[in-house]
Structures are given as C-alpha cells and as structure tokens.
Amino acid sequence: MPAFGQHRRRLARSLAVAGTGVAVIALPLFGATGASAATTEPTTTAASVTAYPDNLDGWIRESLDVMAQNGIPGSYEGIHRNVMRESSGNPHAINNWDSNAAAGTPSKGLLQIIDPTFSAYHVPGTAFDPYDPVANITAACNYAADRYGSIDNVFGAY
C-alpha cells in the first residue's frame, strides 16, 4: 500500500477509536463570483472511507473487506477462531521455539505466518509488514484459501 494509504487507514483507525469523525467540504475557489456561482456545478465529491476500530474486531472486519475485494474466501468466525489459537489476539506474537524458528524463519503476528509465506501471499492494498494486523490476516487467509480452500477449513496448525 502506498505510504499515503497506510496513513489514511491508521488515521481512520485513530478517529474510530477516539470516537470522532471527519467532515469534508468542497468549495470552488476559482471562477466563482458569488454564492450562486458555487451552487451551479458540483466540483468534487468526497469518497466514503470506512473507519475500523484499532482492535481485533476492526482488523478482522477490515481484512474481510480486503479479502472480498480480492476474491479470498473466509468468515469472521473462521478468522477469529484461528487468531485466538495462534496468537491469542496479539499482533506482535512471535514463535521462537518451533521448527520454523529453528530454521531461522519464526512465525509472526496474529495468524503466525512466516516471512516467505507472507511475501508469497501478501495482498496488494495492505501494508508489507507481517506484524501489521490487517496484512497478516489477509495474507494468511490468502495462503489458507490456496492450500485448504478457506481459513474456515483450518482447525489446527497450518
């Protein structure tokens, strides 16, 4: 995701957590000679931006929206079940003791994905960071869809 998009998502998360909203007003600045000139033609419309809370519920919901845009199957329940088993909801979780860690590639994040798998299944429009909750969930669900048909079909370590 371009840097601007990452900042916009984080701003939307921050605003949602703070309980505030954003209002955008577009007024023509050039060529208007009076109040009536401003109402003759629409100049711009603000795009609707969904704000997600910066917590597990918001991360899952944002991931589901990205997944829907990219044709990746999965449900809230399937993601939540696997997150709770893999990391207990800690986006900074890291496994330093299993065979992946012993090979130098520890599992990371909410769904405990290793770097090569994250890189291979990263979904454009999300941060390229395995610790980013939305990027982690979305990449892991993309991997699970490729390997198992959906994250909903995963009931153990994958």
Side-chain angles (χ1 to χ4, degrees):
M1 171 181 281
F4 174 76
Q6 289 176 358
H7 294 298
R8 185 178 69 200
R9 186 176 80 226
R10 288 192 177 113
L11 174 62
R13 286 183 186 163
S14 298
L15 292 172
V17 171
T20 62
V22 176
V24 177
I25 299 173
L27 298 174
L29 298 176
F30 301 103
T33 58
S36 63
T39 60
T40 58
E41 294 181 26
T43 56
T44 60
T45 52
S48 175
V49 176
T50 303
Y52 302 94
D54 192 18
N55 59 28
L56 183 57
D57 177 69
W59 303 328
I60 292 173
R61 292 185 188 285
E62 186 173 352
S63 294
L64 285 168
D65 285 349
V66 174
M67 291 163 56
Q69 293 169 11
N70 289 278
I72 301 168
S75 70
Y76 185 100
E77 294 76 19
I79 294 169
H80 189 268
R81 178 185 70 242
N82 282 285
V83 164
M84 295 313 291
R85 183 190 64 253
E86 294 292 334
S87 68
S88 299
N90 177 1
H92 300 289
I94 186 165
N95 182 329
N96 285 315
W97 59 265
D98 71 358
S99 60
N100 289 321
T105 55
S107 304
K108 300 174 181 177
L110 289 171
L111 284 170
Q112 293 293 284
I113 192 166
I114 60 174
D115 287 338
T117 303
F118 178 83
S119 295
Y121 289 93
H122 173 258
V123 177
T126 65
F128 199 82
D129 176 2
Y131 289 107
D132 178 86
V134 174
N136 185 281
I137 292 170
T138 309
C141 288
N142 194 20
Y143 167 75
D146 186 45
R147 182 149 181 172
Y148 304 103
S150 172
I151 192 72
D152 297 337
N153 300 328
V154 178
F155 292 92
Y158 62 107

Coordinates of all heavy atoms in Angstrom, one line a residue, residues 1 6 9 63 91 105-144 158:
M1 N 0.9 -1.2 0.0 CA 0.0 0.0 0.0 C 0.9 1.2 0.0 O 1.9 1.3 0.7 CB -0.9 0.0 1.2 CG -1.7 1.2 1.5 SD -2.7 1.2 2.9 CE -4.1 0.2 2.3
Q6 N -1.5 3.9 3.8 CA -1.3 3.4 5.2 C -1.6 4.5 6.2 O -2.2 4.2 7.2 CB 0.2 3.0 5.3 CG 0.5 1.8 4.6 CD 2.0 1.5 4.7 OE1 2.8 2.2 5.3 NE2 2.4 0.4 4.1
R9 N -5.4 4.8 6.5 CA -6.0 3.7 7.3 C -5.8 3.9 8.8 O -6.6 3.8 9.6 CB -5.5 2.4 6.8 CG -6.2 1.2 7.5 CD -5.8 -0.1 7.0 NE -4.6 -0.5 7.7 CZ -3.5 -1.0 7.1 NH1 -3.5 -1.2 5.9 NH2 -2.5 -1.2 7.8
S63 N -9.9 -6.8 7.2 CA -9.3 -7.9 6.4 C -10.4 -8.5 5.5 O -10.2 -8.8 4.3 CB -8.7 -8.9 7.3 OG -7.6 -8.4 7.9
P91 N -1.0 -9.0 18.0 CA -0.4 -8.8 16.6 C 1.1 -8.8 16.6 O 1.7 -9.0 15.6 CB -0.9 -7.4 16.2 CG -1.2 -6.7 17.5 CD -1.6 -7.8 18.5
T105 N 13.2 -18.8 10.5 CA 12.1 -18.0 10.0 C 10.9 -18.2 11.0 O 10.0 -19.0 10.7 CB 11.6 -18.5 8.6 OG1 11.4 -19.9 8.6 CG2 12.7 -18.2 7.5
P106 N 10.9 -17.5 12.1 CA 9.9 -17.7 13.1 C 8.5 -17.2 12.6 O 8.4 -16.3 11.7 CB 10.4 -16.8 14.2 CG 11.2 -15.8 13.6 CD 11.9 -16.4 12.4
S107 N 7.5 -17.8 13.1 CA 6.1 -17.4 12.8 C 5.8 -16.1 13.5 O 6.2 -15.9 14.6 CB 5.1 -18.5 13.2 OG 5.5 -19.7 12.6
K108 N 5.0 -15.2 12.8 CA 4.8 -13.9 13.4 C 3.4 -13.5 13.2 O 2.6 -13.9 12.3 CB 5.6 -12.9 12.6 CG 7.1 -13.1 12.6 CD 7.8 -12.1 11.7 CE 9.3 -12.3 11.7 NZ 10.0 -11.4 10.7
G109 N 3.0 -12.6 14.2 CA 1.7 -11.9 14.0 C 0.5 -12.7 14.5 O 0.6 -13.8 15.1
L110 N -0.7 -12.1 14.2 CA -1.9 -12.7 14.6 C -2.2 -14.2 14.2 O -2.7 -15.0 14.9 CB -3.1 -11.8 14.1 CG -3.3 -10.5 14.8 CD1 -4.3 -9.6 14.0 CD2 -3.6 -10.6 16.2
L111 N -1.8 -14.5 12.9 CA -2.0 -15.8 12.4 C -0.7 -16.6 12.2 O -0.7 -17.6 11.4 CB -2.9 -15.8 11.1 CG -4.4 -15.5 11.4 CD1 -5.1 -15.2 10.1 CD2 -5.0 -16.7 12.1
Q112 N 0.3 -16.1 12.8 CA 1.6 -16.8 12.9 C 2.1 -17.3 11.5 O 2.2 -18.5 11.2 CB 1.5 -18.0 13.9 CG 1.4 -17.6 15.3 CD 2.6 -16.9 15.8 OE1 3.6 -17.5 16.1 NE2 2.6 -15.5 15.9
I113 N 2.3 -16.3 10.7 CA 2.8 -16.6 9.3 C 4.3 -16.4 9.2 O 4.8 -15.4 9.9 CB 2.0 -15.7 8.3 CG1 2.2 -16.2 6.9 CG2 2.3 -14.3 8.5 CD1 1.2 -15.6 5.9
I114 N 5.0 -17.2 8.5 CA 6.4 -17.0 8.3 C 6.7 -16.0 7.1 O 5.9 -15.9 6.2 CB 7.2 -18.3 8.1 CG1 6.7 -19.1 6.9 CG2 7.1 -19.2 9.4 CD1 7.5 -20.3 6.5
D115 N 7.8 -15.4 7.2 CA 8.1 -14.3 6.2 C 8.0 -14.8 4.7 O 7.4 -14.1 3.9 CB 9.5 -13.7 6.4 CG 9.5 -12.8 7.6 OD1 8.5 -12.3 8.0 OD2 10.6 -12.6 8.2
P116 N 8.6 -16.0 4.3 CA 8.4 -16.4 2.9 C 7.0 -16.6 2.5 O 6.6 -16.2 1.4 CB 9.2 -17.7 2.8 CG 10.1 -17.7 4.0 CD 9.4 -16.9 5.1
T117 N 6.1 -17.1 3.4 CA 4.7 -17.3 3.1 C 4.0 -15.9 3.0 O 3.2 -15.7 2.1 CB 4.1 -18.2 4.1 OG1 4.8 -19.4 4.2 CG2 2.6 -18.4 3.8
F118 N 4.4 -15.0 4.0 CA 3.8 -13.7 3.9 C 4.1 -13.0 2.6 O 3.2 -12.4 2.0 CB 4.3 -12.8 5.1 CG 3.7 -11.4 5.1 CD1 2.5 -11.2 5.6 CD2 4.5 -10.4 4.5 CE1 2.0 -9.9 5.5 CE2 4.0 -9.1 4.5 CZ 2.7 -8.8 5.0
S119 N 5.4 -13.1 2.2 CA 5.8 -12.5 0.9 C 5.1 -13.1 -0.3 O 4.6 -12.3 -1.2 CB 7.3 -12.6 0.7 OG 8.0 -11.9 1.7
A120 N 4.9 -14.4 -0.3 CA 4.3 -15.0 -1.4 C 2.8 -14.8 -1.5 O 2.2 -14.7 -2.6 CB 4.5 -16.5 -1.3
Y121 N 2.1 -14.6 -0.3 CA 0.7 -14.4 -0.3 C 0.2 -13.0 0.1 O -1.0 -12.8 0.3 CB 0.0 -15.5 0.6 CG 0.1 -16.8 0.0 CD1 1.2 -17.7 0.3 CD2 -0.8 -17.3 -0.9 CE1 1.3 -18.9 -0.3 CE2 -0.8 -18.5 -1.5 CZ 0.3 -19.4 -1.2 OH 0.4 -20.6 -1.8
H122 N 1.1 -12.1 0.2 CA 0.8 -10.7 0.5 C -0.3 -10.2 -0.5 O -0.2 -10.5 -1.7 CB 2.0 -9.8 0.5 CG 1.7 -8.4 0.6 ND1 1.6 -7.5 -0.4 CD2 1.3 -7.6 1.7 CE1 1.3 -6.3 0.0 NE2 1.1 -6.4 1.3
V123 N -1.2 -9.5 0.0 CA -2.3 -8.9 -0.8 C -2.1 -7.4 -1.0 O -2.0 -6.7 0.0 CB -3.7 -9.2 -0.2 CG1 -4.8 -8.6 -1.0 CG2 -3.9 -10.7 0.0
P124 N -2.0 -7.0 -2.3 CA -1.8 -5.5 -2.5 C -3.0 -4.8 -1.8 O -4.1 -5.2 -1.8 CB -1.9 -5.4 -4.0 CG -1.5 -6.8 -4.5 CD -2.0 -7.8 -3.5
G125 N -2.6 -3.6 -1.4 CA -3.6 -2.8 -0.6 C -3.5 -2.9 0.9 O -4.1 -2.2 1.6
T126 N -2.6 -3.8 1.3 CA -2.3 -3.9 2.7 C -0.8 -3.6 2.9 O 0.0 -3.7 1.9 CB -2.6 -5.3 3.3 OG1 -1.7 -6.3 2.6 CG2 -4.0 -5.7 3.0
A127 N -0.4 -3.3 4.1 CA 1.0 -3.0 4.4 C 1.9 -4.2 4.2 O 1.4 -5.3 4.3 CB 1.1 -2.6 5.9
F128 N 3.1 -4.0 3.7 CA 4.0 -5.1 3.5 C 4.8 -5.3 4.8 O 6.0 -5.0 4.9 CB 5.0 -4.8 2.4 CG 5.6 -6.1 1.9 CD1 4.9 -7.0 1.0 CD2 6.9 -6.5 2.3 CE1 5.5 -8.1 0.6 CE2 7.4 -7.7 1.9 CZ 6.7 -8.5 1.0
D129 N 4.1 -5.7 5.9 CA 4.6 -5.9 7.2 C 3.9 -7.0 7.9 O 2.7 -6.9 8.1 CB 4.4 -4.6 8.0 CG 4.9 -4.7 9.4 OD1 5.4 -5.7 9.9 OD2 4.7 -3.7 10.2
P130 N 4.6 -8.2 8.2 CA 3.8 -9.3 8.8 C 3.3 -9.0 10.2 O 2.4 -9.7 10.6 CB 4.9 -10.4 8.8 CG 6.2 -9.7 8.7 CD 6.0 -8.4 8.0
Y131 N 3.7 -7.9 10.8 CA 3.2 -7.6 12.1 C 2.0 -6.6 12.0 O 1.3 -6.4 13.0 CB 4.2 -6.9 13.0 CG 5.3 -7.9 13.5 CD1 6.6 -7.8 12.9 CD2 5.0 -8.8 14.5 CE1 7.6 -8.7 13.4 CE2 6.0 -9.7 14.9 CZ 7.3 -9.6 14.4 OH 8.2 -10.5 14.8
D132 N 1.7 -6.1 10.8 CA 0.5 -5.3 10.6 C -0.7 -6.3 10.7 O -0.8 -7.2 9.9 CB 0.5 -4.6 9.2 CG -0.7 -3.8 9.0 OD1 -0.8 -2.6 9.4 OD2 -1.7 -4.3 8.4
P133 N -1.6 -6.0 11.6 CA -2.7 -7.0 11.8 C -3.5 -7.3 10.5 O -3.8 -8.4 10.2 CB -3.6 -6.3 12.8 CG -2.7 -5.3 13.5 CD -1.7 -4.9 12.5
V134 N -3.9 -6.3 9.7 CA -4.7 -6.5 8.5 C -3.9 -7.2 7.5 O -4.4 -8.2 6.9 CB -5.2 -5.1 8.0 CG1 -6.0 -5.3 6.7 CG2 -6.2 -4.5 9.1
A135 N -2.6 -6.8 7.3 CA -1.8 -7.5 6.3 C -1.6 -9.0 6.7 O -1.6 -9.9 5.8 CB -0.5 -6.8 6.2
N136 N -1.3 -9.2 8.0 CA -1.1 -10.6 8.5 C -2.3 -11.5 8.2 O -2.2 -12.6 7.7 CB -0.7 -10.5 9.9 CG -0.3 -11.9 10.5 OD1 -1.2 -12.7 10.8 ND2 1.0 -12.1 10.6
I137 N -3.5 -11.0 8.7 CA -4.7 -11.8 8.5 C -5.0 -12.0 7.0 O -5.3 -13.2 6.6 CB -5.9 -11.0 9.1 CG1 -5.8 -11.0 10.6 CG2 -7.2 -11.7 8.7 CD1 -6.8 -10.1 11.3
T138 N -4.9 -11.0 6.2 CA -5.2 -11.1 4.8 C -4.3 -12.1 4.1 O -4.7 -12.9 3.3 CB -5.3 -9.7 4.1 OG1 -6.1 -8.9 4.9 CG2 -5.8 -9.8 2.7
A139 N -3.0 -12.0 4.3 CA -2.0 -12.9 3.7 C -2.2 -14.3 4.1 O -2.2 -15.2 3.3 CB -0.6 -12.4 4.0
A140 N -2.4 -14.5 5.5 CA -2.6 -15.8 6.0 C -3.9 -16.4 5.4 O -3.9 -17.6 5.1 CB -2.7 -15.8 7.5
C141 N -5.0 -15.7 5.3 CA -6.2 -16.2 4.7 C -6.0 -16.5 3.2 O -6.6 -17.4 2.7 CB -7.3 -15.2 4.9 SG -7.9 -15.1 6.6
N142 N -5.2 -15.7 2.5 CA -4.9 -15.9 1.1 C -4.2 -17.3 1.0 O -4.5 -18.1 0.1 CB -4.1 -14.8 0.5 CG -4.0 -14.8 -1.0 OD1 -4.8 -15.4 -1.7 ND2 -3.0 -14.1 -1.5
Y143 N -3.2 -17.5 1.9 CA -2.5 -18.8 1.9 C -3.4 -19.9 2.2 O -3.4 -21.0 1.5 CB -1.4 -18.7 2.9 CG -0.8 -20.1 3.3 CD1 0.1 -20.7 2.4 CD2 -1.1 -20.7 4.5 CE1 0.6 -21.9 2.7 CE2 -0.6 -21.9 4.8 CZ 0.3 -22.5 3.9 OH 0.8 -23.8 4.2
A144 N -4.3 -19.8 3.2 CA -5.2 -20.8 3.6 C -6.2 -21.1 2.5 O -6.5 -22.3 2.3 CB -5.9 -20.4 4.9
Y158 N -1.2 -24.8 10.7 CA -1.2 -24.9 9.3 C 0.1 -24.3 8.8 O 0.5 -24.2 7.8 CB -2.4 -24.2 8.7 CG -2.5 -22.7 8.9 CD1 -2.2 -21.8 7.9 CD2 -2.8 -22.2 10.2 CE1 -2.3 -20.4 8.2 CE2 -2.9 -20.9 10.4 CZ -2.6 -20.0 9.4 OH -2.7 -18.6 9.7

